[in-house]
Amino acid sequence: MDSERKPVRVVIVDDDQLVRMALRLVIDGEPDLTVVAEAADGNAAVIVVDEQRPDVVLMDVRMPGLDGLGATREILARAAPPRVLMLTTFDSDDLVLGALRAGALGFVLKDTPPQRILDAVRAVADGSPVLSPAATARVIAAATGPLSSHARDATRRAARERLSALTEREHETARAIADGLGNPEIAQRLNISVATVKAHTGSLFSKLAVQNRVQIALLVRDAEE
């Protein structure tokens, strides 16, 4: 780690005190990470995030009162919000997709080995999406699985309406993001500079009102289903 770089500030949100204690011990044992606060439910999480302005929030999904998905939506609606990494014992399709659509940048299970959780916190802090292998498989299955024709049509229409505000180049950039390409690969595909790719991506975030590339990819997939 660069000695001049400040540690990544983390807030842990979980209704189980033992889970919070275990995560704090693991995270605070790393020189480049530090836990600045904890919260036991979604409502407390929103307050703590407003007070502490962390870089990353480790967010449980199922909690009393405001759950993790609702808290994530509220937190990410703030100006300059933190990155959110969902951490849960559950990995149902609805939870995975719900977390990603809410704007979470990652989703890992609580039985993930500690080192991988630490790696996930670091990756999310750097803006890289993270999904556990099980979560990845479920996202793919849910995104391509059957829905009622009415639900599928409604989702497709809503996604296409949002994408209709894009320019042709922005559409091409969004399509490339949905294909899993990084900025250098997108630049090569579209025969433009990486700086231009970054500019188009910034426009996508603004026009589509999304927080990250995962949400762009899901929106493109929805429009094409």
Side-chain angles (χ1 to χ4, degrees):
M1 183 188 71
D2 185 342
S3 60
E4 297 301 319
R5 182 176 178 180
K6 294 181 180 180
V8 173
R9 294 163 49 82
V10 181
V11 164
I12 300 170
V13 184
D14 197 293
D15 61 344
D16 188 327
Q17 184 178 8
L18 290 178
V19 171
R20 297 198 307 273
M21 289 175 60
L23 287 171
R24 177 183 279 272
L25 284 173
V26 170
I27 293 170
D28 277 345
E30 300 296 303
D32 60 330
L33 306 173
T34 184
V35 176
V36 296
E38 300 176 13
D41 59 60
N43 288 311
V46 174
I47 294 172
V48 165
V49 167
D50 283 344
E51 292 175 345
Q52 296 294 331
R53 309 299 296 174
D55 303 302
V56 174
V57 178
L58 261 176
M59 179 77 74
D60 190 19
V61 173
R62 299 201 178 189
M63 296 179 290
L66 184 65
D67 66 15
L69 300 188
T72 294
R73 293 188 186 95
E74 287 200 25
I75 289 170
L76 293 181
R78 285 357 191 216
R83 281 22 186 292
V84 176
L85 176 63
M86 308 301 293
L87 184 66
T88 182
T89 54
F90 304 93
D91 68 341
S92 73
D93 299 346
D94 288 345
L95 289 178
V96 175
L97 286 174
L100 297 177
R101 292 187 191 285
L105 198 55
F107 191 109
V108 295
L109 303 182
K110 289 182 180 178
D111 61 2
T112 301
Q115 186 57 53
R116 291 189 181 179
I117 292 177
L118 292 171
D119 290 344
V121 171
R122 294 185 178 103
V124 167
D126 287 336
S128 299
V130 175
L131 288 177
S132 68
T136 300
R138 287 186 175 276
V139 167
I140 294 172
T144 59
L147 284 178
S148 70
S149 59
H150 176 74
R152 180 68 72 192
D153 287 346
T155 298
R156 184 187 303 113
R157 283 196 303 271
R160 289 180 176 177
E161 182 176 352
R162 291 175 67 184
L163 293 172
S164 67
L166 305 181
T167 66
E168 181 178 355
R169 265 305 194 217
E170 289 167 350
H171 267 290
E172 292 172 344
T173 303
R175 171 72 263 170
I177 289 173
D179 288 341
L181 301 186
N183 288 346
E185 292 80 14
I186 296 174
Q188 184 175 17
R189 174 188 284 189
L190 302 184
N191 195 28
I192 57 179
S193 69
V194 171
T196 301
V197 173
K198 291 180 179 179
H200 288 326
T201 303
S203 293
L204 292 176
F205 284 0
S206 177
K207 290 184 177 181
L208 300 177
V210 297
Q211 298 289 336
N212 56 63
R213 296 163 78 100
V214 174
Q215 289 177 294
I216 294 172
L218 287 173
L219 195 58
V220 171
R221 298 293 186 189
D222 286 343
E224 294 176 349
E225 286 296 323

